[in-house]
Amino acid sequence: MADVLTPKGKLDLAAATDLRTALMAQPDGDITLDLGQVTQIGALCMQVCVAASKSLRAKGHYLQIINTPDPVMAHLQAMGMTPETLAEGAP
């Protein structure tokens, strides 16, 4: 069973360190990132997600992203990303 992280509000420059810390603090295993309460996502937090995904995959685990609100989806798409590409560790 995956550990679930549920960040809230803006995932912007100010939130990047906290997001990274939260992802790294999870025990070994899969992680589900529930974006249902996120209002915005910026490039640095997307990069944190990609790095976390690559790190998890190297250990045989996965990052799953769920409940992406439409405004967050629009931010991802504007930067050429989707929840799936973030979870796959795509550049």
Side-chain angles (χ1 to χ4, degrees), residues 23-52:
L23 286 164
M24 290 182 63
Q26 297 305 302
D28 283 339
D30 298 339
I31 298 175
T32 298
L33 190 59
D34 183 340
L35 299 181
Q37 297 181 41
V38 172
T39 58
Q40 293 181 20
I41 188 166
L44 190 54
C45 283
M46 284 188 231
Q47 186 176 12
V48 167
C49 291
V50 168

Side-chain angles (χ1 to χ4, degrees), residues 15-80:
T17 299
D18 289 341
L19 178 61
R20 179 182 177 274
T21 300
L23 286 164
M24 290 182 63
Q26 297 305 302
D28 283 339
D30 298 339
I31 298 175
T32 298
L33 190 59
D34 183 340
L35 299 181
Q37 297 181 41
V38 172
T39 58
Q40 293 181 20
I41 188 166
L44 190 54
C45 283
M46 284 188 231
Q47 186 176 12
V48 167
C49 291
V50 168
S53 176
K54 287 182 178 184
S55 177
L56 286 167
R57 284 177 178 268
K59 298 174 187 176
H61 300 291
Y62 296 93
L63 175 67
Q64 178 182 20
I65 298 176
I66 62 170
N67 299 328
T68 308
D70 290 342
V72 174
M73 187 69 78
H75 294 143
L76 292 172
Q77 290 173 343
M79 291 185 251

